[in-house]
Amino acid sequence: ISLYQTKPYDSVTIADICEAADISVGSFYHYFKDKDEVFNEGYQLLTQVYQERSKDCSFPPVEHILYLIRIFSECTEKRGYRFMSVSLHNEVLHSRSYVNNPNRPIYQDIYKELVKAFACGALSGGSPDAILCDIVRIMKGTLYDWVVREGCFSLPEEVDRMAKMVLAPYRTGQP
């Protein structure tokens, strides 16, 4: 995974991966079909770190949504803009569904909290589906901008700012 943070994706070879992991090329091909599968494993690790950090949270629903977005953005930022550029590259060119998969834990978790926020009166005037769609758009758009700008701003701070703007018109003042 660290190779993708220091070298462009297309420059990373199977030999580079094997050398960094101290394994033979034969061992590599025993476990992986190609370097895309190695990348996919790295992306799954990102999801695992997010899930570990997001469990056992007891914020009110709207604050919980912002917390989930923040920790996911922090986990993403730690992977680095080069690693995330591979994700976007695979999404666009190879129809890999890393970013847009609606079953991703981050999207499911935010949706559950949106439903709770509407049920307790903390949000009104919209729908959980529509707000989730807007949140996902700002997360993806900000990620894209962060990658294109080579990580020159704080991804968690910017996504947090944008998420607050999306939620503001729906907040009722209830916790």
Side-chain angles (χ1 to χ4, degrees):
I1 294 170
S2 62
L3 288 172
Y4 296 120
Q5 294 172 332
T6 59
K7 294 174 85 171
Y9 181 76
D10 292 336
S11 297
V12 175
T13 65
I14 301 297
D16 292 334
I17 295 168
C18 292
E19 182 179 327
D22 196 26
I23 62 169
S24 70
V25 173
S27 291
F28 174 90
Y29 284 110
H30 178 74
Y31 294 101
F32 303 102
K33 180 176 75 172
D34 55 27
K35 70 180 183 179
D36 289 341
E37 285 191 5
V38 174
F39 171 78
N40 189 36
E41 287 295 316
Y43 203 80
Q44 294 305 319
L45 288 173
L46 171 66
T47 299
Q48 289 173 2
V49 170
Y50 159 77
Q51 288 177 305
E52 183 63 33
R53 287 193 58 199
S54 66
K55 67 181 182 181
D56 302 325
C57 175
S58 59
F59 294 115
V62 175
E63 296 309 314
H64 195 161
I65 292 164
L66 294 170
Y67 173 76
L68 293 170
I69 292 168
R70 178 125 185 129
I71 63 170
F72 189 80
S73 298
E74 288 171 356
C75 293
T76 301
E77 186 174 69
K78 284 183 183 174
R79 289 287 180 229
Y81 75 88
R82 287 183 193 258
F83 180 87
M84 296 314 299
S85 73
V86 175
S87 173
L88 296 174
H89 170 85
N90 285 343
E91 191 73 29
V92 172
L93 296 180
H94 301 297
S95 299
R96 300 250 164 78
S97 194
Y98 304 126
V99 176
N100 287 325
N101 184 345
N103 294 321
R104 287 178 66 190
I106 180 68
Y107 300 156
Q108 291 178 344
D109 293 348
I110 292 171
Y111 184 79
K112 288 177 197 171
E113 293 304 316
L114 285 166
V115 169
K116 287 181 192 175
F118 274 91
C120 75
L123 297 176
S124 69
S127 73
D129 292 307
I131 296 172
L132 177 63
C133 189
D134 289 345
I135 289 171
V136 169
R137 281 189 192 117
I138 63 107
M139 289 174 71
K140 291 190 300 187
T142 308
L143 173 63
Y144 175 80
D145 189 41
W146 180 74
V147 167
V148 167
R149 296 167 92 197
E150 298 181 339
C152 74
F153 59 85
S154 169
L155 183 63
E157 288 176 16
E158 188 63 13
V159 172
D160 184 62
R161 185 181 74 77
M162 299 294 288
K164 287 176 180 173
M165 286 174 39
V166 167
L167 291 170
Y170 306 103
R171 290 188 87 158
T172 63
Q174 300 287 333

